[in-house]
Amino acid sequence: MPKLVIDGTEIEVEDGITLIQACEEAGVEIPRFCYHERLSIAGNCRMCLVEVVGAPKPVASCAMGVNDLRPGRDGEPPEIRTNSETVKKAREGVMEFLLINHPLDCPICDQGGECDLQDQAMAYGVDGSRFVENKRAVEDKNIGPLIKTIMTRCIHCTRCVRFMTEIAGVEELGMTGRGEDVEITTYLEQGMMSEMSGNVIDLCPVGALTSKPYAFAARPWELRKTESIDVMDAVGSNIRVDTRGREVMRILPRNNDDVNEEWISDKTRFVWDGLRTQRLDRPYVRIRGKLKPATWNDAFAAIARKVKGKKGAKLAAIAGDLAGAEDMYALKDLMTRLGCANIDCRQDGALIDPAMGRASYLFNSGLAGVEEADAILLVGCDPRREASVLNARLRRRWRAGTLKVGLIGPEADLTYQHEYIGAGPQTLSSLASGKHAFFKTLKAAKHPMIIVGSGVLARGDGAAILAQAAKLADAAGVVKRGWNGFNVLHHAASRVAGLDIGFLPGKSGLDTAGILKAAKAGKLDALFLLGADEIDMGSLGKTFVVYIGTHGDAGAHRADVILPAAAYTEKSSIYVNTEGRPQMTDRAVFPPGDAREDWAILRALSAELGVPLEYDSLAELRSAMFDDHRHLALIDEIQDGDDLDLKKLGAGSARLGKQPFTRTITDYYLTNPIARASAIMAEVSAMKTGLGKTGTDG
């Protein structure tokens, strides 16, 4: 390992790292604009100049490797100076050049208070400029409804260009012109329609790219910052919710290398306006066919009249995709006390059987495990739309040059090259029998991986598809000592927690399909919907429907009683992501009006129904839940799963259908009640539909 002397201190560093990284290891801060640890090295801002003793001029530390430095005359380690007069003068000169054309509009810039250029100009710049020429102006670009551009501020660090090309995989930004005429722009003035485009806002070190919906809304020092978890998909991206008063103003990513690194999807980032529109803020009761505002007591009384004294077989409950673990635990507890076994958390009807073991429905290799895989088979899933942040990991692994990807299902632009194997279950069966060349690729791989989309498990032959995937995994050696590459990719944030706590049909109980069938036949007296809006409401017949949810979506329109609940930013709740990692949201704001947390609603309702739940606080509820399911208490840790028995999982007798797989998500931006209430998401969806294609769609 190389040795360096940095500002008089000798340290030993890793082979192959750059000088800027070595300085960070030594605890020395180096200013930078173009350098970012997750992007390729550009070396074009020159702000990171340091002095290498013996070198004729200052060196760009981001582009110089520690292995490229020569030892001294007598074999002593190379010496680096980061605070010498030469370095100070060089940085002042670079800053002076950067500010030649930069407008002095900090008071009206949304980046003000969070601006790298502002901070570094104060720390490393001088108080005046020698340039008196007129500043150049650059025309602003219209790149869609999400990102606001003021391109005169741009310092051409190219972070945004590198991110869109390398991470997002959609080459929508580039640089044109030379010298004073250089500009960052989109090709043919089209909108940026990658599902990850909003991350360029965080990457931009100046105010050239800012959030268009957030423009002129607030200053950073006015905002209260709350660490939380995203629920727009099952990845469980770590986020920060910024609020002012009782209003969510913006959502930003938090770094978690094991989950989302420092990226979030556009839906995660911009869905915040849907948290305050079309909200349910008071109870409603349907009277003579019309929903009327009511008090909590009136709503509970209306439910009690329909539910009290009814047989458990005549009741049912379905949990939606955004429900927290505590909420589902409380609802399951209530239904058990009412003698009801007709409960299900799989509102899409996915045929997943937890009796096969927890490993049969988890992303067992972990999201970070993608970086070790050398062959991946995607079965009926489109990670670009079902888990955009995971897709960025897949692309990065592919860019390393050693990953082979096969796809069974609808052809899709995944942002990386892949082999299209076939459209449906027959192709999967052929692969499992070793009749396809990609089987040899999986077999020969050191770390092979199969990713089964949860959407294909919602088909009538979903159990057979999972069994066939297990047979293939067994034959190809996907599960081996020290490696479990058999993965199920969920897209619903609540799904894994629901499966973990057993929010599933009890003995002789009905699943979602059975509940809908019974309701249509008039065999159900009452149905509880815990934020379940994606089911077929037309199949509920005359069943009495109680909707506990946040928005006036499909479930609320069909409901006979509406109980307003708290959204994920308005409560502390546990969500388990697709890899089985429990994570906890924190309350950023209070629910609107009379809305309450879901578990508290169920606790109050249970008393009205004469079967009171045995916990009066969230702490007591969690204590009971942790007693039953200890792994949920291990926040941000993945409990070692049970051994996956592929032979048992693949031994099902269900028959495969002949219909090809279809897309699980048809409109990426409108997948849940919060997103459908968002004007921003509606605008992006309309723009996407109008364009028909994104930058690399074929």
Side-chain angles (χ1 to χ4, degrees):
M1 295 173 68
K3 290 183 179 180
L4 301 175
V5 176
I6 299 177
D7 291 340
T9 303
E10 183 174 317
I11 66 166
E12 196 171 22
V13 298
E14 298 176 42
D15 273 316
I17 67 172
T18 59
L19 274 183
I20 195 170
Q21 292 171 312
C23 290
E24 286 178 351
E25 286 188 12
V28 178
E29 181 182 358
I30 303 294
R32 83 291 300 271
F33 290 116
C34 69
Y35 174 77
H36 191 279
E37 52 271 15
R38 301 193 194 276
L39 302 176
S40 62
I41 294 171
N44 54 9
C45 78
R46 320 308 285 182
M47 195 63 203
C48 65
L49 293 174
V50 296
E51 181 183 357
V52 177
V53 175
K57 61 181 181 179
V59 170
S61 60
C62 71
M64 174 68 75
V66 294
N67 298 95
D68 297 328
L69 299 177
R70 291 180 297 176
R73 182 177 299 173
D74 298 322
E76 64 269 18
E79 185 177 351
I80 313 299
R81 296 173 184 167
T82 69
N83 53 11
S84 65
E85 197 60 36
T86 299
V87 173
K88 183 174 182 292
K89 187 175 180 180
R91 289 173 180 170
E92 288 176 353
V94 169
M95 183 60 69
E96 193 173 359
F97 272 113
L98 289 175
L99 295 176
I100 289 175
N101 291 306
H102 198 81
L104 299 177
D105 54 2
C106 296
I108 62 161
C109 178
D110 271 328
Q111 201 89 308
E114 299 175 313
C115 177
D116 291 346
L117 182 64
Q118 198 175 48
D119 295 341
Q120 293 185 40
M122 289 290 291
Y124 304 104
V126 292
D127 60 356
S129 174
R130 290 169 287 177
F131 291 90
V132 294
E133 291 82 1
N134 292 330
K135 293 178 182 287
R136 74 163 191 165
V138 181
E139 183 181 356
D140 294 340
K141 311 297 187 294
N142 181 9
I143 57 177
L146 302 180
I147 301 169
K148 179 183 177 184
T149 64
I150 302 181
M151 300 312 293
T152 301
R153 299 172 183 164
C154 180
I155 62 170
H156 313 120
C157 70
T158 68
R159 279 187 181 184
C160 55
V161 176
R162 285 176 283 148
F163 172 82
M164 294 303 295
T165 302
E166 298 166 12
I167 308 295
V170 181
E171 298 180 0
E172 294 178 329
L173 281 179
M175 184 180 285
T176 62
R178 290 176 66 85
E180 192 179 54
D181 297 322
V182 72
E183 293 185 26
I184 302 290
T185 182
T186 55
Y187 299 101
L188 305 177
E189 289 287 339
Q190 69 180 25
M192 285 173 59
M193 295 307 299
S194 164
E195 295 80 10
M196 301 281 286
S197 64
N199 290 289
V200 300
I201 297 169
D202 301 327
L203 287 171
C204 184
V206 297
L209 303 175
T210 56
S211 170
K212 188 175 283 189
Y214 175 72
F216 310 123
R219 286 297 198 180
W221 53 84
E222 299 177 307
L223 303 176
R224 182 169 166 267
K225 301 165 179 64
T226 307
E227 294 186 351
S228 191
I229 302 299
D230 172 55
V231 300
M232 293 297 109
D233 55 32
V235 171
S237 298
N238 288 214
I239 59 173
R240 193 186 85 195
V241 181
D242 287 0
T243 59
R244 185 175 61 187
R246 299 192 63 166
E247 204 171 326
V248 176
M249 303 302 295
R250 65 179 179 179
I251 295 174
L252 299 176
R254 282 191 297 125
N255 189 78
N256 187 327
D257 287 343
D258 292 330
V259 181
N260 60 302
E261 299 178 288
E262 60 188 81
W263 319 122
I264 54 175
S265 69
D266 288 352
K267 186 163 56 174
T268 298
R269 183 184 298 270
F270 294 107
V271 80
W272 50 264
D273 70 316
L275 291 165
R276 59 174 178 247
T277 55
Q278 299 182 28
R279 286 301 300 269
L280 301 171
D281 59 358
R282 66 182 70 177
Y284 288 85
V285 176
R286 192 176 295 277
I287 301 173
R288 290 187 290 276
K290 292 188 176 181
L291 287 169
K292 303 287 187 182
T295 65
W296 281 103
N297 288 336
D298 290 341
F300 287 161
I303 297 170
R305 286 194 295 271
K306 290 289 185 179
V307 175
K308 255 186 175 180
K310 294 292 191 296
K311 293 181 179 179
K314 292 282 190 177
L315 308 176
I318 300 175
D321 293 346
L322 306 183
E326 297 91 342
D327 309 326
M328 290 185 286
Y329 183 85
L331 181 54
K332 180 190 176 187
D333 196 356
L334 174 59
M335 300 310 289
T336 300
R337 291 167 188 268
L338 293 172
C340 173
N342 306 322
I343 62 173
D344 205 344
C345 65
R346 306 162 299 182
Q347 68 167 340
D348 60 356
L351 299 175
I352 299 172
D353 184 6
M356 293 291 183
R358 193 166 184 250
S360 69
Y361 59 82
L362 291 183
F363 201 96
N364 292 292
S365 62
L367 299 174
V370 165
E371 296 173 20
E372 296 182 48
D374 44 5
I376 297 178
L377 175 67
L378 303 174
V379 180
C381 71
D382 179 356
R384 181 175 175 183
R385 289 166 179 83
E386 295 173 38
S388 303
V389 174
L390 171 63
N391 198 63
R393 279 191 189 268
L394 287 165
R395 174 174 168 77
R396 183 172 68 188
R397 182 70 185 92
W398 169 79
R399 288 185 73 240
T402 57
L403 177 66
K404 296 179 180 178
V405 182
L407 172 64
I408 299 177
E411 177 62 289
D413 173 26
L414 301 175
T415 71
Y416 41 85
Q417 292 178 3
H418 59 275
E419 179 182 345
Y420 184 65
I421 299 173
Q426 305 308 316
T427 304
L428 178 62
S429 178
S430 173
L431 201 61
S433 61
K435 296 179 181 178
H436 194 281
F438 199 80
F439 176 83
K440 296 179 181 178
T441 301
L442 286 174
K443 186 80 172 173
K446 186 176 181 181
H447 293 125
M449 185 181 288
I450 295 176
I451 303 178
V452 182
S454 63
V456 297
L457 305 182
R459 293 164 43 116
D461 59 348
I465 292 170
L466 187 61
Q468 201 65 233
K471 287 180 183 177
L472 170 59
D474 188 30
V478 168
V479 178
K480 57 185 74 173
R481 187 173 183 179
W483 177 256
N484 186 343
F486 185 80
N487 301 309
V488 176
L489 178 61
H490 295 278
H491 60 271
S494 67
R495 188 62 49 82
V496 175
L499 295 169
D500 281 352
I501 67 171
F503 197 94
L504 297 160
K507 188 176 180 180
S508 71
L510 301 175
D511 60 8
T512 297
I515 290 170
L516 297 181
K517 187 176 179 180
K520 192 171 186 178
K523 295 179 180 179
L524 282 185
D525 288 334
L527 171 62
F528 291 83
L529 299 179
L530 185 62
D533 293 276
E534 317 305 327
I535 63 173
D536 180 11
M537 299 298 171
S539 297
L540 299 184
K542 296 182 179 180
T543 302
F544 182 79
V545 177
V546 179
Y547 179 75
I548 305 170
T550 59
H551 287 73
D553 209 79
H557 284 286
R558 173 57 188 83
D560 295 289
V561 175
I562 296 175
L563 305 178
Y568 70 104
T569 55
E570 299 158 3
K571 62 185 177 182
S572 176
S573 195
I574 292 173
Y575 290 86
V576 184
N577 75 350
T578 190
E579 61 182 346
R581 182 190 303 271
Q583 299 183 110
M584 189 181 296
T585 64
D586 201 359
R587 175 189 285 162
V589 292
F590 286 92
D594 290 334
R596 297 291 183 267
E597 295 181 15
D598 309 60
W599 74 265
I601 294 171
L602 293 163
R603 171 62 184 87
L605 177 59
S606 69
E608 185 71 25
L609 297 178
V611 287
L613 302 178
E614 295 177 353
Y615 26 81
D616 297 320
S617 68
L618 181 59
E620 291 178 3
L621 188 159
R622 281 182 176 156
S623 178
M625 184 173 71
F626 294 158
D627 285 343
D628 293 340
H629 311 284
R630 294 185 182 278
H631 70 280
L632 294 180
L634 303 174
I635 300 301
D636 203 33
E637 295 182 23
I638 301 177
Q639 184 188 46
D640 291 337
D642 44 19
D643 292 332
L644 181 60
D645 189 342
L646 291 175
K647 294 191 183 302
K648 180 181 176 183
L649 187 59
S653 59
R655 297 182 62 184
L656 288 170
K658 296 183 179 180
Q659 292 297 319
F661 299 148
T662 57
R663 294 190 184 280
T664 301
I665 295 176
T666 53
D667 193 330
Y668 166 76
Y669 297 99
L670 304 176
T671 55
N672 59 63
I674 300 175
R676 288 191 287 269
S678 166
I680 301 171
M681 292 295 97
E683 188 176 358
V684 180
S685 175
M687 184 177 180
K688 177 98 173 203
T689 304
L691 287 176
K693 297 179 179 179
T694 57
T696 62
D697 283 338

